[in-house]
Amino acid sequence: MNYPIPDSPQDILALQQKPIDEELVASAIAGVIKIVRSQGKSLEDLTAQILEDDQLLDRQQRRWLSQLLAQAWESFT
């Protein structure tokens, strides 16, 4: 992978300066999981946060993202 796994929310935000590709997205997802776990939160906590209503993603996109994060979470255990 060309991008290191982010260790902090600031590292994830810094990824916004990079051109978007599959590796960048994978790095961001891995970083989110790493950060959430380091905070002692569970997959259920992360899923609840993703499924919260917001203006960035619609309901279907939030569900898809939560499923993707769940698959990634399991691959890191």
Side-chain angles (χ1 to χ4, degrees), residues 5-17 27-28 30-39 41 49:
I5 295 175
D7 291 319
S8 69
Q10 294 81 11
D11 291 345
I12 290 176
L13 288 175
L15 293 176
Q16 292 178 341
Q17 306 306 314
S27 177
V32 167
I33 291 170
K34 183 178 182 180
I35 292 165
V36 167
R37 284 183 168 178
S38 74
Q39 295 171 344
K41 295 182 181 177
Q49 189 174 3

Side-chain angles (χ1 to χ4, degrees), residues 36-37 39-52 66 69 73:
V36 167
R37 284 183 168 178
Q39 295 171 344
K41 295 182 181 177
S42 67
L43 174 58
E44 290 75 25
D45 295 328
L46 178 57
T47 300
Q49 189 174 3
I50 295 298
L51 292 176
E52 286 180 6
S66 69
L69 286 169
W73 184 284

